[in-house]
Amino acid sequence: MKDSPKPRIGILVVAYNAESTLEKTLDRIPKDFRSRIAEVLILDDASHDETFTAGCRWSQLDGMPPTVVMRHTKNLGYGGNQKAGYALAAERGLDIVVLLHGDGQYAPELLPEMVAPIERGECEAVFGSRMMRPGSALGGGMPFYKWLGNRVLTRLENGLLGSGLTEFHSGYRAYSVAALRRLPIDRNTDAFDFDTQIIVQLIDAGMRIKEIPIPTYYGDEICYVNGMRYAKDVVKDVLEYRLALKGFGTCAWIPKPVEYAFKEGDGSSHSAILKMMRDLPPGRVLDVGCSGGLFAARLEELGHTVTGVDFVEVEGVRERCTEFVLANLEEGLPEDVGYDYDYVVAGDVIEHLSRPERVLKELRDVLRPGGKVLLSVPNFGHWYSRLRVALGAFDYDRRGILDETHLRFFSRASLRRTVRSSGYDLLRVTSTGAPFWSVLGGGFLARTLGGISRLLTRMRPTLFGYQYVAVLTPHAAQTIIAGEHVDVQDILNRQYVPADLTGRVGART
């Protein structure tokens, strides 16, 4: 069996006004490790001193690894400099990249230990921790207030993220470049809390982080970090992530799940629609916006035959639906979905469309006579969105009423107007309570608030109803003209003109 090729290892050196320390730091790279380094990338972040010259001077010494020295003409910030460096590492085909600071604060002597766990396939990231050995940080000269702040913030971050790192705030790190490609680090901050955001991204993606102990060194280097601002920023990042998981805010630096996480019995609109479907005889169902097919699978268990439609194919959807059609509803309902459906389900779909009336009319045409449409939309009149607007704090969330992908907002009155203008009779409209289970879990507080919400929703659905669930049927009334049966809707869609000179009534389309 052939040995696998050795990984290409790169050292990313971020430097700012590091003229006096850069060469000394690089000289400390172990001589027996230098031959294993594919490239050293030195990125000078628009320093005011001769950092760039120092990097070039070191790169030209005999016996040094291949080195690229770059100077930004504009300061990109600590996070921005890393983004540029990781993009360069990927472009140059590196497999592992180690972040090394040019001020000598982190020990280059431990570079072999930093890359070893990734080489062995044990993890996607390695962090050097100054807190793993008790007393090491203070013994190495870390000021007590920084040590205390580090410990407090790390404990808080671990608690909010469910992680167990000994230190969140070390800048000595090694990454798998392939793992970095999977993270949206280009959306991260350019400031010092970049390192915290990348930890959150790794945890969110289920990637493995390994820590190794490193010595602490505090010398004469200048610290450019505003401690209070940094503490505020890292706490904000972690809280923003936690809120984003609950649907609040957009948190652009964390990928949004593609698949809808359906949970039966949670009081959501999908759960309400499923409850209605249990009381209907089995039939052919068109599930519009089926996501991963979790809802469709429950319909199949009830004896329905489901055709799912969505603009993205989530893994496993074809196994959960009888048939799946890939289609962008913005372009209309595709012909290959077929006809004569007993039911159409459009749960939380039409608010994502710029022209929902068009799709509703097309859905009407694929129903058999007497068929029903079950749809749900968020209630923009809910107290949450009203309060955001009244306080001048309107913004979008990752999901819910103010989902960032919503193109239309509905109140109960506008929903009624929309479905009637699309050719439907509104058989029934109900409201769901606020999804406290989503924010607070399934504990006592969530159940209590959920019960209160349902009570208030029954009393005043336009203010407390979180979503509307409607049952529609095509408007099927007919009239008689000269012995012919004509759908009333067809007449309403024509433009009436007065009788002509012969006394006949004319109509033009």
Side-chain angles (χ1 to χ4, degrees):
M1 184 176 176
K2 251 186 172 183
D3 292 336
S4 57
K6 292 183 178 179
R8 285 174 49 80
I9 298 170
I11 311 300
L12 171 60
V13 184
V14 290
Y16 179 68
N17 291 343
E19 175 189 359
S20 63
T21 57
L22 179 59
E23 291 171 278
K24 296 175 185 176
T25 300
L26 295 171
D27 284 339
R28 291 164 56 192
I29 296 176
K31 288 184 171 57
D32 58 353
F33 184 71
R34 293 178 186 178
S35 61
R36 298 177 54 196
I37 299 174
E39 278 189 318
V40 176
L41 310 176
I42 302 175
L43 271 62
D44 172 17
D45 197 19
S47 298
H48 301 300
D49 61 8
E50 298 301 316
T51 296
F52 178 72
T53 302
C56 292
R57 189 165 53 236
W58 185 87
S59 70
Q60 294 168 12
L61 297 175
D62 291 337
M64 297 307 170
T67 302
V68 176
V69 186
M70 299 176 63
R71 182 181 186 275
H72 305 311
T73 56
K74 176 183 178 181
N75 185 273
L76 301 182
Y78 175 71
N81 201 12
Q82 284 194 61
K83 292 180 196 178
Y86 297 140
L88 183 62
E91 180 184 313
R92 301 185 74 85
L94 299 177
D95 300 306
I96 299 173
V97 61
V98 185
L99 176 66
L100 185 64
H101 290 211
D103 59 8
Q105 187 178 147
Y106 299 105
E109 293 83 1
L110 293 179
L111 283 170
E113 287 79 0
M114 289 291 293
V115 301
I118 300 178
E119 289 181 300
R120 294 193 296 263
E122 297 173 359
C123 58
E124 285 73 42
V126 178
F127 293 173
S129 171
R130 297 165 293 185
M131 303 293 177
M132 288 185 75
R133 295 191 180 118
S136 173
L138 292 173
M142 181 182 287
F144 179 77
Y145 74 92
K146 288 193 174 185
W147 175 88
L148 181 61
N150 191 316
R151 298 291 289 174
V152 170
L153 287 174
T154 294
R155 180 176 289 250
L156 175 64
E157 289 162 316
N158 276 326
L160 290 171
L161 295 173
S163 53
L165 297 176
T166 61
E167 183 181 7
F168 264 73
H169 310 289
S170 166
Y172 201 11
R173 302 177 174 201
Y175 297 107
S176 157
V177 176
L180 289 177
R181 284 198 190 98
R182 294 167 51 194
L183 304 178
I185 59 175
D186 58 305
R187 303 178 192 172
N188 289 12
T189 177
D190 291 336
F192 287 99
D193 54 318
F194 176 91
D195 284 346
T196 295
Q197 290 186 349
I198 207 168
I199 292 176
V200 175
Q201 289 172 328
L202 289 165
I203 292 173
D204 181 73
M207 296 186 188
R208 300 163 296 173
I209 301 172
K210 185 178 177 65
E211 291 182 292
I212 67 167
I214 60 171
T216 303
Y217 172 74
Y218 272 79
D220 299 327
E221 72 278 354
I222 300 174
C223 180
Y224 296 95
V225 183
N226 181 317
M228 294 303 294
R229 171 181 278 185
Y230 173 76
K232 175 183 71 69
D233 287 343
V234 298
V235 172
K236 179 183 75 67
D237 288 337
V238 178
L239 288 175
E240 182 182 10
Y241 170 68
R242 290 291 301 171
L243 287 171
L245 293 182
K246 304 298 183 183
F248 297 104
T250 54
C251 197
W253 47 278
I254 293 294
K256 188 176 180 181
V258 175
E259 185 174 7
Y260 172 75
F262 173 73
K263 181 181 178 183
E264 190 170 351
D266 55 18
S268 66
S269 56
H270 282 77
S271 181
I273 292 174
L274 182 63
K275 185 177 179 181
M276 294 177 182
M277 293 293 292
R278 291 184 188 279
D279 298 328
L280 297 173
R284 294 185 67 226
V285 180
L286 180 63
D287 185 5
V288 182
C290 65
S291 187
L294 298 178
F295 179 81
R298 282 148 173 92
L299 293 180
E300 295 268 355
E301 291 172 1
L302 295 176
H304 298 285
T305 301
V306 182
T307 297
V309 179
D310 214 317
F311 75 100
V312 63
E313 182 172 341
V314 178
E315 184 179 356
V317 65
R318 292 186 185 272
E319 287 72 40
R320 300 183 184 113
C321 301
T322 299
E323 187 178 352
F324 173 76
V325 178
L326 188 65
N328 182 2
L329 293 178
E330 275 295 312
E331 301 171 359
L333 196 66
E335 291 186 5
D336 51 353
V337 300
Y339 299 93
D340 294 325
Y341 285 97
D342 299 286
Y343 314 106
V344 170
V345 173
D348 302 342
V349 171
I350 65 171
E351 65 270 21
H352 296 272
L353 303 175
S354 58
R355 294 189 294 169
E357 296 87 355
R358 170 191 172 186
V359 173
L360 284 173
K361 289 175 182 177
E362 292 176 346
L363 292 176
R364 185 189 67 197
D365 295 336
V366 302
L367 279 173
R368 66 165 178 78
K372 294 181 175 62
V373 174
L374 294 86
L375 68 79
S376 61
V377 295
N379 172 28
F380 189 71
H382 187 267
W383 63 262
Y384 171 71
S385 46
R386 290 194 196 192
L387 185 63
R388 292 278 294 268
V389 173
L391 295 177
F394 175 84
D395 204 349
Y396 290 96
D397 293 327
R398 284 168 72 93
R399 63 173 182 260
I401 298 172
L402 302 180
D403 189 312
E404 59 186 329
T405 62
H406 287 180
L407 301 180
R408 295 282 291 268
F409 291 119
F410 290 95
S411 64
R412 187 170 66 178
S414 66
L415 174 62
R416 284 172 170 165
R417 285 194 299 270
T418 299
V419 299
R420 285 171 179 163
S421 67
S422 301
Y424 291 92
D425 290 329
L426 185 61
L427 300 181
R428 176 185 176 191
V429 59
T430 58
S431 305
T432 68
F436 287 104
W437 57 268
S438 176
V439 179
L440 302 174
F444 173 77
L445 180 60
R447 292 195 300 272
T448 301
L449 292 176
I452 295 172
S453 175
R454 288 190 293 274
L455 176 62
L456 293 173
T457 297
R458 286 195 292 271
M459 295 171 60
R460 192 173 177 187
T462 54
L463 179 61
F464 295 103
Y466 192 77
Q467 287 179 297
Y468 293 122
V469 180
V471 181
L472 323 172
T473 191
H475 190 68
Q478 293 184 328
T479 189
I480 298 175
I481 299 179
E484 294 183 7
H485 294 277
V486 180
D487 286 340
V488 172
Q489 192 63 37
D490 291 339
I491 298 175
L492 295 177
N493 288 336
R494 297 173 184 168
Q495 182 178 352
Y496 176 80
V497 296
D500 60 23
L501 296 177
T502 63
R504 293 177 299 174
V505 176
R508 68 171 182 265
T509 56

